[in-house]
Amino acid sequence: MNAEQRYVRVSGPRQLEERAGDEQPPAPDGVIVDITYSGICGTDVHGYTDGHMLPPAVFGHEWTGTVRAVGAEVTGVRAGQRVVGGVGPACGRCRQCLAGHARQCDTVFAEANGVDEAAPAHGAFATRVRVSARRVIPVPDALSDIEAALVEPATVTFHAVRRTALELGSVVVVQGAGPIGLLTAQHARNAGAGRVIVSEPSAARRGTAGKLGFRDVVAPPELAGVLERATDGLGADVLFECTGVASLFQPSAELVRRGGTLALLGFPLTPSTVSYGDWQSRELTVIGSLAYNHEDFVGTMRAIAERRIDVAALHTGTVGLSQLGGLLEELDSGESAHTKVLVDPRA
């Protein structure tokens, strides 16, 4: 086994360090994974620009790779197997599981937020990672490496759409056509939405939505009028807020019909002001969604393998570790034409 790995870590606001380090063997219940691709997420960009993830940390939670070595206690995964980074099944031992709430398993929630008992926190902007075997999920042969690299964000959105339990024929609005919005729209279509209206200020991203088969793709100033005509003024049955722009929360709620559902996927970094009385008087159902469960990964990979959703269409570029800083700056500028960029640590 090569004893050295390369990785890039954030050491301060807009500060990256490319480093090399000695590799440790896998924990008895862990694995070593050679990274093929790691996706760049909006949280990576925010963490890089404001340094809120300090002390120094290696980012990159959307990844796929090949198992390089397994610990002595590991079963169910073998060296040479393609995997994605995810979360394990409900543990059956935590307070949530013992109370009968397995979908809210504390162990799974901790894994989804980067806590790994078998290894120190370390993201995948690196040549390889050391993680618990619980956190790797085999990739079906039907998925390409590019598709496997996009499983994690597709799973985030699968989880959100599943939580809404939208009814067949629903009028759905997806606000924001970045990677999360485009994946949400596809899952909503699969879940039986009767009409999906996508709102996005970027012409390039609106174009991607059109290529994915969505015909109601509008700029934000046009949304209210299109929705009014589509519902005879009633409003959306379900609105997925995928931008995370705090100032849009109340205007988004006002686009939802009385008794409808507002689903929150975008994560705001600033406080939000909403009208509690409006939400209450119109009996809105407000659903927060964060991360995923193990079964969400299984369902998502099945949907990709069956060509029910197109994740590869979101991939607009690939960079090496040495190019990561420039790309993060470009994405932060708000002027990038990219939808989803992958990091290839082998480049």
Side-chain angles (χ1 to χ4, degrees), residues 150-195:
L150 294 166
V151 163
E152 197 272 355
T155 302
V156 169
T157 51
F158 182 99
H159 179 78
V161 172
R162 190 173 72 152
R163 277 181 54 77
T164 65
L166 66 85
E167 296 183 0
L168 293 175
S170 295
V171 175
V172 169
V173 169
V174 175
Q175 191 158 262
I180 294 300
L182 292 170
L183 291 165
T184 297
Q186 292 185 75
H187 286 308
R189 182 167 59 190
N190 281 350
R195 187 166 183 177

Side-chain angles (χ1 to χ4, degrees), residues 30-79:
V31 298
I32 303 293
V33 179
D34 286 330
I35 298 300
T36 305
Y37 293 114
S38 183
I40 299 176
C41 175
T43 56
D44 296 321
V45 178
H46 295 315
Y48 163 73
T49 56
D50 67 19
H52 77 274
M53 296 293 286
L54 300 180
V58 181
F59 294 178
H61 58 273
E62 305 175 1
W63 54 265
T64 187
T66 302
V67 176
R68 181 183 184 87
V70 301
E73 299 173 4
V74 173
T75 60
V77 64
R78 64 184 186 279

Side-chain angles (χ1 to χ4, degrees), residues 9-334:
R9 73 177 187 178
V10 177
S11 56
R14 299 183 187 274
Q15 297 177 14
L16 292 182
E17 297 176 335
E18 188 167 350
R19 302 170 68 97
D22 291 337
E23 180 182 303
Q24 297 179 352
D29 61 346
V31 298
I32 303 293
V33 179
D34 286 330
I35 298 300
T36 305
Y37 293 114
S38 183
I40 299 176
C41 175
T43 56
D44 296 321
V45 178
H46 295 315
Y48 163 73
T49 56
D50 67 19
H52 77 274
M53 296 293 286
L54 300 180
V58 181
F59 294 178
H61 58 273
E62 305 175 1
W63 54 265
T64 187
T66 302
V67 176
R68 181 183 184 87
V70 301
E73 299 173 4
V74 173
T75 60
V77 64
R78 64 184 186 279
Q81 196 166 19
R82 288 195 309 153
V83 294
V84 295
V87 295
C91 71
R93 302 184 304 274
C94 70
R95 290 182 301 171
Q96 291 274 22
C97 284
L98 293 176
H101 310 306
R103 286 191 175 181
Q104 299 296 329
C105 171
D106 288 328
T107 302
V108 171
F109 186 74
E111 290 172 341
N113 286 279
V115 177
D116 189 333
E117 295 180 357
H122 196 303
F125 292 153
T127 52
R128 59 184 73 111
V129 294
R130 179 175 182 261
V131 297
S132 166
R134 275 182 53 87
R135 293 196 52 228
V136 297
I137 304 172
V139 175
D141 291 340
L143 271 62
S144 69
D145 288 339
I146 295 292
E147 290 171 327
L150 294 166
V151 163
E152 197 272 355
T155 302
V156 169
T157 51
F158 182 99
H159 179 78
V161 172
R162 190 173 72 152
R163 277 181 54 77
T164 65
L166 66 85
E167 296 183 0
L168 293 175
S170 295
V171 175
V172 169
V173 169
V174 175
Q175 191 158 262
I180 294 300
L182 292 170
L183 291 165
T184 297
Q186 292 185 75
H187 286 308
R189 182 167 59 190
N190 281 350
R195 187 166 183 177
V196 179
I197 302 171
V198 179
S199 174
E200 166 59 45
S202 164
R205 289 180 169 181
R206 290 199 301 271
T208 302
K211 292 175 183 177
L212 289 170
F214 295 100
R215 61 183 179 86
D216 292 311
V217 183
V218 300
E222 303 168 346
L223 175 58
V226 170
L227 180 61
E228 182 173 6
R229 292 189 293 274
T231 64
D232 196 23
L234 190 61
D237 295 308
V238 182
L239 187 144
F240 292 97
E241 207 304 299
C242 300
T243 70
V245 177
S247 62
L248 292 179
F249 281 14
Q250 181 58 32
S252 298
E254 293 169 3
L255 295 172
V256 179
R257 67 167 174 82
R258 181 168 57 85
T261 298
L262 173 63
L264 304 176
L265 282 81
F267 196 86
L269 298 177
T270 56
S272 312
T273 301
V274 300
S275 173
Y276 182 97
D278 172 62
W279 292 22
Q280 181 179 15
S281 63
R282 294 194 296 118
E283 295 191 330
L284 297 187
T285 296
V286 181
I287 294 178
S289 185
L290 180 68
Y292 30 62
N293 304 316
H294 182 81
E295 55 267 35
D296 295 321
F297 275 90
V298 175
T300 296
M301 287 194 284
R302 185 176 298 132
I304 297 170
E306 294 296 323
R307 307 303 160 197
R308 300 288 295 169
I309 63 169
D310 183 353
V311 295
L314 278 59
H315 176 227
T316 53
T318 302
V319 299
L321 289 175
S322 62
Q323 300 168 288
L324 181 58
L327 197 281
L328 289 170
E329 289 287 349
E330 178 184 334
L331 294 174
D332 179 60
S333 72

